[in-house]
Amino acid sequence: MGSVSRVLEIWEVELTSILNIEPIGHRKRIMKSIRDLRTLQSSFDEAEKRKRENKSKSTEQETKWLHSKEDMIRGVDYPVRYFGSAKLTGPESTKQSGLICEQQQNKIKSSQKVPEFRLRISASGVELIDKQTQNSTCSYHIEDISFVSRDKANLLVFSFISTDRKISIKMCHVFKAHTRNQAYEACSTIAQSFEVAFQLKREGNKNGLHSEEKS
């Protein structure tokens, strides 16, 4: 009887037969209060519904990616120049990545030519493909990539950090895109690859559970 939902279920006959409220005036006032409660509860429920819908729309907008799930499974290519990589030391590897971007660019300035590659990004990971030979020169599994960012000083430049788990070494790989938009898209696509990889793993776990239940 103490909950709002129970109060809303009270009918006039209950006021008489169960609560023993005899005077008509009292019953009418109580019934009016109950009707007001119903209206208030209905308004509250509607407000909560709109809140959930708005939250759902907001979440969809926040997670709107550049590519479809199918494209991310196949892989998306970006033309890049590869500035090379450098070993990271110490716990604050993400802070070091900015410094390494600058160092690698300075090294390249003294070189005659920066090699061109296609950076293939997928839910499986990142692969570097030689533009001339079309051969894969190296690849990094999605679980071994821990960080991606753009260089604040040069928005054409971006990097990601990979981990070699066998020897516990972190490397920062530095690239230069042809345009700022391509650099942004490459970073966003790597971020999306984390999301799709997580979705595929979750779906695989669910399918595995269903198979065990059927067997």
Side-chain angles (χ1 to χ4, degrees):
M1 289 296 292
S3 66
V4 173
S5 59
R6 180 67 187 95
V7 171
L8 296 180
E9 294 174 359
I10 294 178
W11 297 101
E12 189 169 3
V13 66
E14 290 182 285
L15 297 178
T16 304
S17 60
I18 298 176
L19 300 181
N20 297 320
I21 299 176
E22 295 292 344
I24 296 176
H26 289 344
R27 291 205 303 269
K28 286 184 176 181
R29 283 194 294 272
I30 292 173
M31 289 304 297
K32 183 179 183 304
S33 297
I34 292 173
R35 284 194 296 271
D36 290 343
L37 273 174
R38 285 197 181 101
T39 303
L40 182 62
Q41 183 71 39
S42 178
S43 300
F44 176 78
D45 291 342
E46 185 64 29
E48 283 295 305
K49 182 181 178 182
R50 286 197 299 270
K51 185 178 179 181
R52 287 193 298 270
E53 290 174 350
N54 291 335
K55 185 177 180 180
S56 177
K57 289 179 181 178
S58 175
T59 302
E60 288 176 2
Q61 290 174 353
E62 288 174 3
T63 56
K64 188 175 181 181
W65 297 105
L66 294 172
H67 309 287
S68 67
K69 182 178 179 180
E70 291 72 23
D71 285 341
M72 290 305 302
I73 293 173
R74 286 190 297 267
V76 180
D77 289 2
Y78 289 96
V80 295
R81 293 186 182 276
Y82 185 39
F83 281 11
S85 61
K87 180 181 175 181
L88 295 171
T89 57
E92 296 183 345
S93 55
T94 56
K95 290 184 178 180
Q96 291 181 51
S97 63
L99 180 60
I100 288 174
C101 280
E102 182 181 350
Q103 291 172 345
Q104 293 302 115
Q105 289 178 74
N106 291 334
K107 286 182 182 179
I108 293 297
K109 286 176 184 178
S110 61
S111 303
Q112 292 183 351
K113 189 176 180 181
V114 182
E116 292 190 31
F117 292 87
R118 284 189 294 117
L119 191 66
R120 179 164 296 168
I121 305 167
S122 72
S124 300
V126 174
E127 185 178 10
L128 202 58
I129 301 171
D130 188 284
K131 185 178 179 181
Q132 299 298 324
T133 64
Q134 300 301 311
N135 294 328
S136 175
T137 60
C138 56
S139 60
Y140 306 93
H141 194 273
I142 191 64
E143 292 184 359
D144 294 330
I145 299 173
S146 58
F147 183 76
V148 59
S149 68
R150 293 173 75 184
D151 183 17
K152 293 180 180 179
N154 186 347
L155 294 178
L156 292 174
V157 176
F158 64 96
S159 64
F160 69 80
I161 295 174
S162 68
T163 303
D164 188 327
R165 299 179 188 277
K166 293 181 180 179
I167 53 179
S168 300
I169 288 180
K170 290 184 177 182
M171 300 292 292
C172 180
H173 307 269
V174 184
F175 305 88
K176 185 177 182 180
H178 290 180
T179 66
R180 291 182 177 184
N181 189 56
Q182 282 184 348
Y184 162 77
E185 287 192 8
C187 290
S188 178
T189 303
I190 293 176
Q192 185 180 358
S193 69
F194 298 142
E195 173 71 16
V196 176
F198 174 75
Q199 290 176 3
L200 294 173
K201 187 173 183 179
R202 185 172 56 185
E203 290 170 5
N205 291 338
K206 286 183 179 179
N207 292 334
L209 288 173
H210 292 326
S211 298
E212 290 178 5
E213 290 174 357
K214 289 181 180 178
S215 61

